[in-house]
Amino acid sequence: MTDWQIRPARDLGLPTAERLRSHGREAGLVGTLLQGGWRRLVRFYMAAMHRLEVTGREHLPAAPPYVMVANHSSHLDALAVAAALRGPAARRAHALAAGDTFFTSTPMAAFAAYAINALPVWRRRTRMKDLVTLRTRLEEDALVYILFPEGTRSRDGHMAAFQPGLGAFVAGSAVPVVPCWLEGAHAAWPPQARLPKPGRLRLHIGAPLSFADTSQDRAGWAQVASRCEDAVRALAPR
């Protein structure tokens, strides 16, 4: 007999504007349909305009939860990484996006929530409570998080050091981290340009990393960031 576990939606009762920015936001029927259409549109765009090539897809875990981390130099990055996912992983993927960029107004927050399925991370005012909520959702709801631990897009295409906040999600956890290197995104849509241009993108996916034995403190967070940074850099073409 199936053991059904029914619980209220995490965002139940929240006003619309607050729900869009909530770390407990759930898609609902309308959101699920919109996100499904957006995924198909993004895959078509990536194939037609950027000839997205994915290598190493066999390294992806069989099922969520897991975290994908990559270098960050373009607004194309999250779209390209998400476009590589299939099945339940694609439906459960959330890009963690800068709240002060994508969630400043209700229309922008609605686009980020329903199209990109992003969750906000506020650069200067993220609280420990927010990190705990995100970690809990990652594990309990079997999600995929797409993270860019540099914290901002590279202006020159060179990857910067990873920030230790990444460790808050996986230190001491069985959730694997999948390192990725995205090639060509900076040339196709650098931060200085208003719009993207056609250009080939290549996503290299590496073997998952485990941080189950890493301490859940600042030292552990730094260790997670350092190992992930090294793994991502190792995927860069020579």
Side-chain angles (χ1 to χ4, degrees):
M1 181 180 295
T2 302
D3 183 17
W4 296 99
Q5 295 185 1
I6 301 175
R7 62 170 176 78
R10 294 180 184 273
D11 56 0
L12 182 66
L14 293 179
T16 298
E18 186 176 345
R19 183 170 60 83
L20 292 172
R21 297 173 174 84
S22 171
H23 292 138
R25 190 189 70 243
E26 298 187 16
L29 178 59
V30 173
T32 298
L33 294 174
L34 288 173
Q35 290 163 10
W38 175 259
R39 285 195 300 273
R40 288 189 288 272
L41 179 62
V42 168
R43 289 172 188 167
F44 173 79
Y45 169 79
M46 285 292 163
M49 296 294 290
H50 300 291
R51 295 173 291 155
L52 177 64
E53 176 185 339
V54 181
T55 61
R57 191 182 267 120
E58 68 274 8
H59 291 307
L60 291 173
Y66 56 89
V67 175
M68 302 180 74
V69 296
N71 55 312
H72 192 28
S73 61
S74 170
H75 281 318
L76 292 172
D77 297 343
L79 301 179
V81 175
L85 299 174
R86 297 291 185 270
R91 294 190 292 273
R92 298 177 186 176
H94 294 269
L96 298 194
D100 50 342
T101 299
F102 293 97
F103 289 86
T104 53
S105 68
T106 297
M108 179 64 77
F111 175 79
Y114 288 120
I116 308 174
N117 202 22
L119 294 173
V121 175
W122 305 93
R123 289 191 178 107
R124 295 177 179 83
R125 55 188 178 93
T126 297
R127 301 167 297 176
M128 181 57 68
K129 177 183 177 182
D130 298 325
L131 297 177
V132 170
T133 298
L134 287 167
R135 178 177 173 130
T136 300
R137 285 209 65 191
L138 173 65
E139 298 178 357
E140 291 185 356
D141 297 350
L143 303 180
V144 176
Y145 283 167
I146 298 172
L147 284 172
F148 301 99
E150 294 166 82
T152 188
R153 290 170 294 163
S154 169
R155 267 42 186 178
D156 60 7
H158 294 93
M159 195 178 87
F162 280 9
Q163 301 298 312
L166 164 64
F169 303 111
V170 296
S173 165
V175 175
V177 178
V178 181
C180 304
W181 180 272
L182 186 59
E183 179 185 357
H186 184 265
W189 196 3
Q192 300 84 357
R194 293 186 61 186
L195 296 172
K197 61 183 179 181
R200 190 175 187 85
L201 301 183
R202 293 182 175 88
L203 179 65
H204 307 278
I205 301 174
L209 305 174
S210 174
F211 297 98
D213 296 329
T214 306
S215 60
Q216 297 186 49
D217 53 22
R218 294 290 177 177
W221 291 14
Q223 182 181 347
V224 170
S226 178
R227 282 187 59 198
C228 287
E229 180 183 335
D230 289 345
V232 170
R233 290 189 188 276
L235 294 170
R238 303 301 179 186

